[in-house]
Amino acid sequence: MKKIGIILGTRAEIIKMSVIINLCEKKNLNYFVIHTGQHYFYNMDKIFFENLGLPDPEYNLDVGSGTHGQQTGRILERVEKVLIKEKPDVILVLGDTNTTFAGALAAAKLDMQVGHVEAGLRSYDRNMPEEINRVLTDHISDYLFCPTELSKEMVLREGIDLDKIYVTGNTIVDAVIRNKKLAMKKSKILKNLDLDKGKYFLVTAHRQGNVDFKENLKKLLSVLEKIYRKYKVPMVYPVHPRTKKRMKEFNLKTPKGVRLIEPLGYLDFLKLESNAKLVLTDSGGIQQEACTLKIPCVTLRENTESPETVEVGSNMIAGLETDKIFKSINQMLEKNNDWRNPSGDGNASNQIIEIILA
Ligand code: UD1
Ligand code: UDP
């Protein structure tokens, strides 16, 4: 039986890899997990293992935070050491983080097969570190697990061999299907925050481009306050530690009407998202997740790597300009939310395992 190494490091990777890991356990496969430690706060890391019923990773490399070069370099060196010892036949990485690229690079240089889950996404914005990571990872992978036909087209256009490409759907759909009922039953988040179903906006924003520059973060926070003044619904914003750090550094105050809270575990977040009137975000995963949950989404960026969500009508790209955001919110609130899900039917994780074991 092939030996599989799974490499992850951030909360989004833990969530989107979770059903693959659940299946490896259930099928008693020969596998191990390397956690790079890119995310390490309890509410950015361990809580997801608890919520999603995942065993502790075999390795935690404790790379922590740093500049892109530091983080990528540390991951590369530490992952290589483990891979030399474990000798997997194939490794799986997911998405577009520094963990994704450095993990894939370490394995590719050791002549191990690399499977890239969520391959073929493109924003065509090279100012985003994620775009660099996803392009490079696709080009050193042996299996490209594309969530949609469009993502397959993207990598075919870049000259990648057709026989490396598989359209599987997105594993976020698997995670949502597997956890939604449990979240609805177990999470008390609406009660704890004193919110009524369908009567609040949910906000998340942590992209480097939006929060690491004072002017942009100021603009983002001020636009949130304007949204509150216009729509007069409570706004809840679980704040990523990157954003929290920058708000403090730039001495920016909490916008009026916006409740800044600590990052949430998956069950609480899923419940909060499922019951929101609207989601405002710059997250990649939340655009896809909101589409799956049939919650309208407005993206606070100039572009997206998930244009399928815009095409089916679940998402609008609004940037940080107030007028465009108001227009997008108005349009999204008028929708029937009956769009189709372009990211599959919840069977992506199973297909990925079958393909790498074949
Ligand atoms: C990373 C990914 C991004 C993804 C996000 C998921 C890259 C280049 N970016 O961004 O694509 O959307 O994860 O959430 O890989 N921090 C803590 N505690 C933690 C984690 C982070 O305090 O547990 C703070 C540190 O100050 C750190 C900053 O957040 O410098 C940024 O963390 P980092 O992992 O570098 O990038 P993310 O913004 O989380
Ligand atoms: N998420 C969460 N708690 C939070 C914010 C997000 O559990 O407080 C989940 C969310 O459900 C989604 C994933 O984290 O599945 C998105 O991760 P993130 O926005 O950090 O990364 P990105 O998708 O931008 O890479």
Side-chain angles (χ1 to χ4, degrees), residues 11-12 15 48 172 206-207 238 263-266 269 273 283-286 289:
R11 72 173 166 201
I15 295 166
F48 297 99
I172 191 66
H206 67 275
R207 288 265 85 75
L264 296 169
Y266 193 54
F269 191 84
E273 192 180 5
S283 152
I286 292 172
E289 203 171 55

Side-chain angles (χ1 to χ4, degrees), residues 63-75:
V63 300
S65 308
T67 64
H68 285 284
Q70 285 168 342
Q71 199 173 51
T72 309
R74 267 184 236 142
I75 297 169

Side-chain angles (χ1 to χ4, degrees), residues 27 44 86 96 165 178 201 350 354:
K27 292 174 190 269
M44 295 295 289
E86 288 281 352
D96 52 22
I165 307 172
R178 179 168 280 234
F201 289 174
N350 201 23
E354 281 182 3

Side-chain angles (χ1 to χ4, degrees), residues 167-182:
V167 177
T168 56
N170 196 314
T171 58
I172 191 66
V173 183
D174 309 14
V176 166
I177 291 175
R178 179 168 280 234
N179 293 291
K180 193 174 161 188
K181 247 195 207 151
L182 185 65

Side-chain angles (χ1 to χ4, degrees), residues 10-12 38-41 44 65-66 68 71 96-99 129-130 133 206-207 240-242 245:
T10 65
R11 72 173 166 201
Q38 180 170 343
H39 285 175
Y40 45 88
F41 280 0
M44 295 295 289
S65 308
H68 285 284
Q71 199 173 51
D96 52 22
T97 68
N98 289 342
T99 290
E130 291 85 1
N133 288 335
H206 67 275
R207 288 265 85 75
H240 187 289
R242 175 193 282 274
K245 188 176 80 177

Side-chain angles (χ1 to χ4, degrees), residues 311-325:
E311 218 174 277
V312 300
S314 71
N315 183 18
M316 287 182 77
I317 306 303
L320 290 184
E321 295 306 326
T322 312
D323 287 352
K324 197 160 176 198
I325 293 174

Side-chain angles (χ1 to χ4, degrees), residues 33-53:
V33 175
I34 304 177
H35 189 326
T36 62
Q38 180 170 343
H39 285 175
Y40 45 88
F41 280 0
Y42 171 76
N43 60 4
M44 295 295 289
D45 171 16
K46 185 97 171 80
I47 194 166
F48 297 99
F49 285 85
E50 293 170 1
N51 279 183
L52 296 159

